[in-house]
Amino acid sequence: MKLVTQVRYGTRILLDLAMHQSKGIVQMGDIASRQNISLKYLEQLIMPIKNAGLVTSKRGPKGGHRLAKSPDQITLAQIIRIFEKEYVPKEISDDTSTYSEHQDSLIREAWDEALEAFYNRLEKVTLADLSIGTTKKLWESSGLLIFT
Amino acid sequence: MKLVTQVRYGTRILLDLAMHQSKGIVQMGDIASRQNISLKYLEQLIMPIKNAGLVTSKRGPKGGHRLAKSPDQITLAQIIRIFEKEYVPKEISDDTSTYSEHQDSLIREAWDEALEAFYNRLEKVTLADLSIGTTKKLWESSGLLIFT
DNA sequence: TTTAATTCATACTAAATTGATATAGATTAT
DNA sequence: ATAATCTATATCAATTTAGTATGAATTAAA
């Protein structure tokens, strides 16, 4: 059970967008250099995020991306769900007899509820939580409020 | 986030052991044929289960494996923990500046608590739950109590 | 209306993980 | 001794994940 890199990068992208919200639209190229991710890889990552409705985009020169919701409406759980493909557990047994169905349904039910509990906790961390912390720290350490 | 095959097979092995408890010690070869898993693969899977203290073994002829605890002391969560290697989420940011530490610790904390919630639910399903269901179903459907 | 900046769409490659097989050694009841 | 059984590695194949490359579609601006 691991936090795939796509989630880490995805979070960085969204966080970057959140912190540069005031600029309006932001270019992938800028994020790429700021976050030190290859532009091409980043372009791939932003796509599912966009399809999930977390950002909107505009093509052409002066185009770019922006958050589709306010940072406190975007949660860690949402980001993780985009990349961790929802997985239905296979049957424990490989036969088709009736008696294994009971086991399988017990396991599946527990699994589903466990996943729900997992995501519930992750719903509680928003981009706002993360970026507020960031700008605050920046302010404290440098005396400059760079990202506003 | 998926239930790896190792967990499915591991569960089947333990369930098989649980259902043949009365025989005392059980050979991997028997489990392999009953569960339709290659003996060699199965031998690999039983090792971490043994190291986790869920079963004990005896070598030589008439050797084999048996559960180290009663079936109601063995939970799905335990089995999953054996195979899903405990994974510490990497830092979101790759720089070493102070301001990213706050984000990372927020995320890590949420992640840890989410995992805990996940496993808590899975603690509630024991081998006994699964095997009791099985023998009962068998009884009902065939009139024969095969696994006792 | 051409040009250049940008997102969008795929195809491809490389590395890591997982699933499975193979070979041989260690232990022990008979 | 011998054969049955578990133990320990090595190897291979399949799948998934990470990352790169190529180029088309869109559009602001000169």
Side-chain angles (χ1 to χ4, degrees), chain A residues 14 17-18 21 49 52-56 66-75 78 123 127-128:
Chain A
L14 287 166
L17 285 174
Q21 264 187 128
I49 296 178
L54 266 45
V55 304
T56 55
R66 60 164 29 124
L67 294 184
K69 316 173 174 196
S70 79
D72 63 351
Q73 298 292 313
I74 297 178
T75 69
Q78 287 170 43
E123 278 307 342
L127 277 190

Side-chain angles (χ1 to χ4, degrees), chain A residues 19 128-147, chain B residues 95-106:
Chain A
M19 295 195 294
D129 297 330
L130 295 173
S131 50
I132 286 171
T134 299
T135 52
K136 184 153 155 274
K137 280 267 181 179
L138 262 183
W139 175 267
E140 282 166 356
S141 60
S142 68
L144 281 174
L145 193 50
I146 301 180
F147 308 120
Chain B
D95 61 31
T96 49
S97 59
T98 341
Y99 71 84
S100 70
E101 282 173 15
H102 182 245
Q103 300 175 346
D104 289 332
S105 72
L106 268 182

Side-chain angles (χ1 to χ4, degrees), chain A residues 4-6 9 38 40-41 44 58-62 85:
Chain A
V4 293
T5 1
Q6 293 177 324
Y9 285 178
S38 108
K40 281 305 172 185
Y41 190 31
Q44 261 184 77
K58 198 180 157 207
R59 287 184 163 198
K62 307 272 174 167
K85 46 197 113 190

Side-chain angles (χ1 to χ4, degrees), chain A residues 23-140:
Chain A
K23 284 186 189 156
I25 209 161
V26 177
Q27 281 74 45
M28 285 290 101
D30 293 352
I31 300 185
S33 45
R34 276 198 295 263
Q35 300 296 334
N36 209 38
I37 309 174
S38 108
L39 174 60
K40 281 305 172 185
Y41 190 31
L42 205 153
E43 282 174 341
Q44 261 184 77
L45 295 180
I46 196 71
M47 214 82 64
I49 296 178
K50 208 173 60 96
N51 293 337
L54 266 45
V55 304
T56 55
S57 64
K58 198 180 157 207
R59 287 184 163 198
K62 307 272 174 167
H65 291 80
R66 60 164 29 124
L67 294 184
K69 316 173 174 196
S70 79
D72 63 351
Q73 298 292 313
I74 297 178
T75 69
L76 256 191
Q78 287 170 43
I79 305 174
I80 292 177
R81 274 183 205 275
I82 293 173
F83 296 106
E84 301 273 356
K85 46 197 113 190
E86 215 48 51
Y87 183 89
V88 179
K90 290 203 194 88
E91 284 73 31
I92 286 296
S93 177
D94 65 350
D95 60 33
T96 48
S97 58
T98 339
Y99 71 85
S100 70
E101 282 174 15
H102 181 244
Q103 298 175 347
D104 288 333
S105 72
L106 268 182
I107 291 174
R108 188 160 315 195
E109 194 189 348
W111 183 265
D112 288 344
E113 291 180 16
L115 263 189
E116 198 186 339
F118 179 79
Y119 282 118
N120 274 346
R121 174 61 182 88
L122 261 17
E123 278 307 342
K124 295 195 180 118
V125 182
T126 71
L127 277 190
D129 297 330
L130 295 173
S131 50
I132 286 171
T134 299
T135 52
K136 184 153 155 274
K137 280 267 181 179
L138 262 183
W139 175 267
E140 282 166 356

Side-chain angles (χ1 to χ4, degrees), chain B residues 4-6 9 38 40-41 44 58-62 85:
Chain B
V4 292
T5 346
Q6 294 177 325
Y9 285 178
S38 106
K40 282 306 173 185
Y41 190 32
Q44 260 185 81
K58 196 180 157 206
R59 286 183 165 196
K62 307 273 174 165
K85 45 198 114 190

